[in-house]
């Protein structure tokens, strides 16, 4: 019997994009169910599958839910381990990939959100932290093509979905990211040439319009 794979997701979510990229990298067919989180009307399926956090994405494999995007990507890699690996097999290299993915999880989304929806000193603090974070990631990338070496993998999947929001960050934060962190942008453009990435990331203009609407809802515009 074939695996039943369902993804509960919200189209602009960088966390959901991670799971979409991982599924595409493995060539896994799945049913996509859109959750309209802007309306705050969460489906009974989402609430039933993720009763703790009540948020997407949720990967459902043969009726069993896997919550949190980094866990879902790791699960995909381990279950479909006969296909292109996303995590290193070496225990130390694997630990480093997990570390940097968690670092991205803990830092990037909150910083980008603060640049886009805050003003004044709070925004300035977020802008400074954003550039510092990208420079740190550039140092970790070094001269490698991808964070794990020559092959697109787990850390890249954890980070590249946020690239879709860079247009909004540059406009609302008045930042020229490429002039500040050119190596990071080269890496991002390299990732965007990968089929699983460019087919999974929404257009930057579409994401910019989404953030404009979000700002209006928050009373910023």
């Amino acid at each position: 019997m074939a695996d039943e794979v369902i993804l509960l997701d919200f189209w602009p979510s960088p966390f959901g994009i991670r799971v979409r990229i991982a599924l595409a990298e493995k060539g896994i067919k799945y049913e996509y169910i859109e959750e309209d989180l802007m309306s705050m009307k969460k489906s009974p399926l989402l609430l039933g599958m993720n009763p703790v956090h009540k948020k997407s994405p949720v990967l459902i494999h043969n009726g069993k839910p896997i919550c949190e995007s980094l866990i879902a990507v790791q699960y995909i890699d381990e279950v479909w381990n006969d296909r292109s690996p996303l995590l290193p097999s070496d225990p130390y290299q694997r630990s480093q990939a997990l570390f940097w993915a968690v670092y991205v999880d803990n830092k990037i989304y909150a910083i980008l959100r603060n640049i886009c929806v805050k003003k004044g000193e709070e925004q300035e603090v977020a802008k400074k932290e954003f550039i510092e974070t990208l420079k740190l990631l550039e140092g970790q990338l070094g001269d490698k093509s991808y964070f794990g070496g020559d092959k697109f993998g787990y850390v890249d999947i954890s980070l590249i979905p946020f690239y879709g929001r860079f247009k909004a960050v540059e406009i609302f934060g008045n930042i020229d990211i490429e002039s500040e962190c050119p190596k990071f942008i080269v890496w991002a453009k390299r990732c965007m040439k990968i089929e699983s990435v460019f087919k999974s990331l929404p257009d930057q203009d579409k994401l910019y319009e989404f953030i404009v609407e979000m700002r209006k809802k928050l009373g910023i515009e």
Side-chain angles (χ1 to χ4, degrees):
M1 185 177 71
D3 287 318
E4 180 189 56
V5 182
I6 299 170
L7 179 61
L8 308 183
D9 199 3
F10 181 40
W11 71 266
S13 168
F15 307 104
I17 292 167
R18 289 172 173 170
V19 184
R20 285 176 246 164
I21 292 172
L23 290 167
E25 280 290 300
K26 294 285 187 173
I28 301 164
K29 294 182 178 180
Y30 64 97
E31 179 184 356
Y32 179 91
I33 299 179
E34 177 75 7
E35 292 287 335
D36 183 11
L37 298 188
M38 283 293 281
S39 70
M40 301 305 292
K41 294 179 181 177
K42 298 179 181 181
S43 73
L45 180 59
L46 175 62
L47 296 175
M49 288 292 169
N50 190 359
V52 177
H53 295 301
K54 303 178 176 63
K55 63 182 182 181
S56 66
V58 178
L59 180 70
I60 306 172
H61 182 210
N62 293 332
K64 297 177 180 179
I66 302 94
C67 304
E68 299 298 317
S69 61
L70 291 182
I71 295 172
V73 172
Q74 185 175 357
Y75 178 87
I76 289 165
D77 195 38
E78 292 175 356
V79 170
W80 289 277
N81 58 12
D82 58 332
R83 309 180 193 185
S84 182
L86 306 177
L87 274 158
S89 58
D90 176 78
Y92 179 74
Q93 294 299 325
R94 189 181 185 88
S95 75
Q96 295 308 291
L98 294 170
F99 171 85
W100 284 105
V102 170
Y103 175 82
V104 169
D105 226 27
N106 291 338
K107 296 284 285 188
I108 299 292
Y109 179 77
I111 295 172
L112 295 186
R113 190 178 192 282
N114 285 342
I115 293 173
C116 290
V117 304
K118 301 291 185 181
K119 293 183 178 181
E121 185 178 351
E122 284 184 292
Q123 187 189 57
E124 290 302 315
V125 169
K127 287 164 58 175
K128 182 175 183 292
E129 189 176 5
F130 176 58
I131 297 302
E132 288 175 351
T133 299
L134 292 194
K135 287 185 181 296
L136 178 63
L137 288 167
E138 281 187 327
Q140 176 62 22
L141 179 64
D143 295 325
K144 303 187 295 292
S145 296
Y146 303 103
F147 281 90
D150 294 331
K151 186 178 180 300
F152 180 75
Y154 189 73
V155 179
D156 307 291
I157 291 173
S158 75
L159 183 55
I160 192 59
F162 296 101
Y163 180 62
R165 295 171 181 243
F166 276 25
K167 176 179 178 176
V169 168
E170 289 191 317
I171 292 172
F172 295 124
N174 191 27
I175 306 171
D176 183 348
I177 300 172
E178 188 164 13
S179 68
E180 295 280 358
C181 303
K183 184 182 289 187
F184 188 92
I185 297 301
V186 169
W187 164 82
K189 289 179 178 179
R190 182 180 295 120
C191 290
M192 289 301 296
K193 294 178 182 179
I194 298 171
E195 184 177 5
S196 64
V197 177
F198 73 73
K199 286 189 174 181
S200 299
L201 260 71
D203 181 76
Q204 285 198 352
D205 290 334
K206 186 178 179 182
L207 281 166
Y208 170 74
E209 293 301 326
F210 166 76
I211 292 171
V212 168
E213 289 302 311
M214 184 175 68
R215 284 165 59 92
K216 288 178 181 177
K217 286 180 178 292
L218 294 171
I220 297 170
E221 294 295 335

